[in-house]
Amino acid sequence: SSGINAEWPLRPGLSEGSGQEKCDILQQNVENGKIVKKSTDGGRLRFTVECDPGYWLSNSTGNLLYCNSTILPECERVIIKTSIVAHNEEGHLVQVSYTSKSWNGNGTLCDDGWDNREAGIICRQNGFKYGKAISLVTDREDFVLTGLDCPCDEKENLERCSATRYEDSELPCLPEETAGVRCYNQSTEIIGTFLKKTASKKKAYKIFLSVEVNKFGEPFGLTRLHSSSFEVKSQSVKLKTGKASVKVKEGAAFVTLIAKKPKGHGPPKPDCLTVEMEGPANGQHHEFEHCF
């Protein structure tokens, strides 16, 4: 937050002093911030102050420091906390809150400047090993932060990260620009998604499944998946799984399965099944559950 450009009294303990001495004292007393610009205003020398990452200007001070001893900007520590909320199959919504001596707020994060470094930190804060930054479409309009940016060597927390209060930002954020994350614990993930055509018919289950591979959150092209790798199981009844039809397109496998029900079998409650898959690498076993 950049604060406001205004003049305010000196902090207690600073004397008037001589011009240059006074100016040196003022500059030395900018704690947790730095001088980023030098200019003049009506013949008076002034400096523009910028707070260090993790600090914001107090809402009761400006960002201008004058050598005539009328202003001393104050940078105060801001604490940013996060949580993640399940949103859809894509990932989780990022919720943020911030507090300092004079600022507080909570809501969602705009995705301006949002990338995998910050997503990884947030996922680790919430119990995961890895994270990928995504943008979500939501009906939320409670953005409170934007431009979250962390140093390249930061892996675990947001203490040294900078951010801008959304109401101070120059660019608006749309509902489809809400920051989200995909958090995971394995560097390589196998993702199985049941397509809408999947159905429980009278005599059989008709299953349409897409299988994708992600490596460190990024798509890793799948080139082959054997048709004999699949079996469909139900906790309530034994099913007869036919040979799968597998088509690989643009790095993903699209699988069609038919699992026949025994004669006289009515729909169980709950009507759930598990697709077991061997592969794509030797020795790998994955299970995907679906309920109707």
Side-chain angles (χ1 to χ4, degrees), residues 248-274:
V248 177
K249 182 180 179 182
E250 297 180 351
F254 296 90
V255 182
T256 303
L257 283 162
I258 295 179
K260 292 184 179 180
K261 303 174 182 178
K263 290 183 179 180
H265 173 68
K269 294 182 180 180
D271 192 1
C272 298
L273 54 80
T274 301

Side-chain angles (χ1 to χ4, degrees), residues 225-240:
L225 197 58
H226 202 277
S227 59
S228 63
S229 302
F230 298 89
E231 186 175 359
V232 183
K233 293 185 177 181
S234 169
Q235 292 184 352
S236 59
V237 67
K238 188 173 182 179
L239 303 173
K240 185 178 180 180

Side-chain angles (χ1 to χ4, degrees), residues 156-170:
E156 302 299 331
N157 61 64
L158 300 174
E159 287 186 5
R160 295 190 296 139
C161 303
S162 60
T164 300
R165 292 171 63 241
Y166 181 69
E167 61 190 74
D168 293 334
S169 65
E170 297 179 356

Side-chain angles (χ1 to χ4, degrees), residues 190 229 277-286:
I190 308 298
S229 302
M277 183 186 82
E278 303 300 324
N282 290 334
Q284 289 185 335
H285 178 86
H286 304 278

Side-chain angles (χ1 to χ4, degrees), residues 37-249:
K37 184 179 178 182
K38 180 180 177 181
S39 59
T40 57
D41 177 17
R44 295 183 302 168
L45 186 62
R46 70 179 181 184
F47 301 91
T48 302
V49 173
E50 183 179 281
C51 293
D52 295 335
Y55 291 84
W56 286 352
L57 284 161
S58 168
N59 69 355
S60 62
T61 68
N63 65 341
L64 297 180
L65 183 156
Y66 286 87
C67 284
N68 64 357
S69 75
T70 59
I71 185 169
L72 187 61
E74 180 181 358
C75 294
E76 56 188 38
R77 163 66 77 181
V78 58
I79 304 299
I80 300 174
K81 295 183 179 180
T82 68
S83 62
I84 56 175
V85 180
H87 180 69
N88 56 23
E89 291 181 353
E90 290 184 65
H92 288 74
L93 175 74
V94 175
Q95 294 194 148
V96 293
S97 66
Y98 62 84
T99 56
S100 71
K101 186 166 70 174
S102 59
W103 301 106
N104 68 81
N106 63 82
T108 54
L109 174 68
C110 174
D111 69 357
D112 287 351
W114 179 234
D115 64 25
N116 291 340
R117 180 166 62 250
E118 290 75 31
I121 294 172
I122 289 174
C123 285
R124 282 186 284 276
Q125 285 185 329
N126 287 276
F128 294 88
K129 291 183 179 180
Y130 308 103
K132 174 179 172 57
I134 61 175
S135 296
L136 299 173
V137 178
T138 73
D139 57 3
R140 303 269 298 259
E141 296 185 4
D142 58 341
F143 295 113
V144 291
L145 289 180
T146 185
L148 181 65
D149 183 51
C150 298
C152 293
D153 61 345
E154 183 56 68
K155 304 294 183 184
E156 302 299 331
N157 61 64
L158 300 174
E159 287 186 5
R160 295 190 296 139
C161 303
S162 60
T164 300
R165 292 171 63 241
Y166 181 69
E167 61 190 74
D168 293 334
S169 65
E170 297 179 356
L171 297 174
C173 223
L174 301 176
E176 60 266 28
E177 297 175 322
T178 306
V181 288
R182 284 201 65 248
C183 297
Y184 51 98
N185 289 316
Q186 301 296 326
S187 59
T188 301
E189 285 186 300
I190 308 298
I191 303 167
T193 304
F194 289 88
L195 306 182
K196 290 182 179 180
K197 295 186 293 182
T198 297
S200 177
K201 301 294 185 179
K202 184 176 181 180
K203 295 183 178 181
Y205 292 105
K206 291 188 176 181
I207 300 158
F208 299 86
L209 180 74
S210 70
V211 179
E212 299 173 275
V213 179
N214 278 358
K215 194 165 186 177
F216 291 107
E218 299 290 343
F220 187 78
L222 185 64
T223 58
R224 186 184 176 202
L225 197 58
H226 202 277
S227 59
S228 63
S229 302
F230 298 89
E231 186 175 359
V232 183
K233 293 185 177 181
S234 169
Q235 292 184 352
S236 59
V237 67
K238 188 173 182 179
L239 303 173
K240 185 178 180 180
T241 307
K243 187 177 181 180
S245 169
V246 180
K247 295 181 180 180
V248 177
K249 182 180 179 182

